[in-house]
């Protein structure tokens, strides 16, 4: 039986870092996947700002589950040299935050690039990033995302097999229906490599909905994880139920549509947490 541990992309609640921490305490969550701090990406923090943020987290009893990096969110003909420098800076920050798990992506295709050339470019770029991470003791965890090479369970499995377990998987079942992929067999396809999971949901029309109300197969997937795993398994709540500061840098906001409305970002996030806890309780009842 798995011990499901909740983490959160708390920047979906507020850009203010103090409010993020206050909200996590109210929700009974003591882990965070760090992404936005006081309205900017954590990657833009100075050493001093990072040390202050890390100190605040420690003082409030909140640990980091991962760093939600933007690594791998460029096109294959983009400025890869700068991207590698960004990874080095992220790892410096990871050492300050005492967190060595990094969420990454597998690149967007250059315009008109054939699939075979796209694959070759992605493998080469990821190989360089993994070499850099290995040298400093960091683990790269690939998230399936719309438009990147590892968008589908099958293409993500290709990547994971290529690197023999050096590249791990962040399973985001909600992203599969969001980009027209079937989520039902994703865990079975990827389970040998799954490090942890992001929690969001999406219906058949590509509209974001609360956990358990769409086609992400969350209850079935969590039941399988519960049966397969012993010990801690992290679920990072990332519901995307409302627009939030920094979302435009992560996704095309024209693609993101919502079916449910909420009076505040906190209310939306709290509802997602409540629904996730209902799913967990339901698979054990």
């Amino acid at each position: 039986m798995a011990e499901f541990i909740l983490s959160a992309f708390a920047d979906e609640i507020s850009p203010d870092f103090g409010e993020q921490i206050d909200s996590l305490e109210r929700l009974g969550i003591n882990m965070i996947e760090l992404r936005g701090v006081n309205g900017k990406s954590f990657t833009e923090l100075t050493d001093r700002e990072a040390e202050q943020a890390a100190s605040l987290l420690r003082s409030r009893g909140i640990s980091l589950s991962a760093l939600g990096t933007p690594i791998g969110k460029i096109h294959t003909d983009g400025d890869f040299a700068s991207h590698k420098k960004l990874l080095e800076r992220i790892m410096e920050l990871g050492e300050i935050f005492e967190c060595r798990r990094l969420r990454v992506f597998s690149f967007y295709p250059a315009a008109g690039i054939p699939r075979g050339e796209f694959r070759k470019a992605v493998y080469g770029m990821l190989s360089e990033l993994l070499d850099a991470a290995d040298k400093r003791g960091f683990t790269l965890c690939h998230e399936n995302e719309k438009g990147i090479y590892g968008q589908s369970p099958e293409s993500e499995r290709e990547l994971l097999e290529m690197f023999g377990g050096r590249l791990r998987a962040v399973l985001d079942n909600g992203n599969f229906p969001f980009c027209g992929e079937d989520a039902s067999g994703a865990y079975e396809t990827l389970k040998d490599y799954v490090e942890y999971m992001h929690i969001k949901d999406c219906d058949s029309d590509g509209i974001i909905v609360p956990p358990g109300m769409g086609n992400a197969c969350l209850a079935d997937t969590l039941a399988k994880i519960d049966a397969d795993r012993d010990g801690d398994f992290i679920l990072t709540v990332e519901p995307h139920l409302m627009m939030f500061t920094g979302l435009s840098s992560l996704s095309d906001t024209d693609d993101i549509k919502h079916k449910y409305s909420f009076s505040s970002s906190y209310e939306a996030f709290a509802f997602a947490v409540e629904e996730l806890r209902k799913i967990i309780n339901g698979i054990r009842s």
Side-chain angles (χ1 to χ4, degrees), residues 8-77:
F9 275 114
D11 58 350
E12 294 203 13
I13 301 172
S14 172
D16 182 271
F17 198 51
E19 289 185 21
Q20 292 180 33
I21 293 171
D22 290 343
S23 297
L24 292 183
E25 288 183 345
R26 290 170 64 189
L27 293 168
I29 297 173
N30 61 5
M31 296 191 87
I32 187 170
E33 184 160 346
L34 193 66
R35 184 173 57 195
V37 179
N38 294 324
K40 62 183 180 182
S41 168
F42 82 90
T43 64
E44 300 171 8
L45 297 177
T46 65
D47 283 359
R48 179 172 174 78
E49 289 172 331
E51 288 162 359
Q52 290 172 337
S55 177
L56 179 58
L57 289 169
R58 285 193 297 269
S59 72
R60 302 287 288 273
I62 295 176
S63 59
L64 267 68
S65 59
L67 294 174
T69 87
I71 294 297
K73 271 204 167 186
I74 61 170
H75 290 79
T76 52
D77 59 352

Side-chain angles (χ1 to χ4, degrees), residues 210-268:
M213 300 184 184
N215 287 27
C217 306
L218 291 178
D220 181 61
T221 299
L222 290 176
K224 289 176 180 176
I225 292 171
D226 197 38
D228 284 348
R229 306 277 179 129
D230 290 316
D232 293 352
F233 188 86
I234 295 169
L235 307 174
T236 298
V237 184
E238 187 194 20
H240 279 17
L241 291 176
M242 291 184 73
M243 298 301 182
F244 57 92
T245 300
L247 179 59
S248 61
S249 67
L250 304 170
S251 302
D252 183 349
T253 53
D254 290 339
D255 285 349
I256 297 178
K257 298 177 175 60
H258 299 103
K259 185 176 290 187
Y260 294 74
S261 61
F262 300 91
S263 62
S264 69
S265 295
Y266 177 82
E267 181 187 63

Side-chain angles (χ1 to χ4, degrees), residues 108-164:
Y108 300 111
I113 189 173
R115 181 70 176 179
E117 290 184 23
F118 183 26
R119 180 188 301 111
K120 183 178 179 180
V122 167
Y123 284 175
M125 295 163 85
L126 278 175
S127 182
E128 289 191 47
L129 297 177
L130 283 163
D131 287 346
D134 288 348
K135 287 177 182 177
R136 297 181 68 160
F138 282 80
T139 300
L140 303 188
C141 302
H142 176 272
E143 177 183 349
N144 53 286
E145 169 93 353
K146 185 176 182 179
I148 63 172
Y149 186 85
Q151 169 179 293
S152 71
E154 294 75 22
S155 58
E156 185 174 15
R157 174 84 185 197
E158 277 182 36
L159 288 177
L160 301 169
E161 288 181 338
M162 174 69 181
F163 294 108

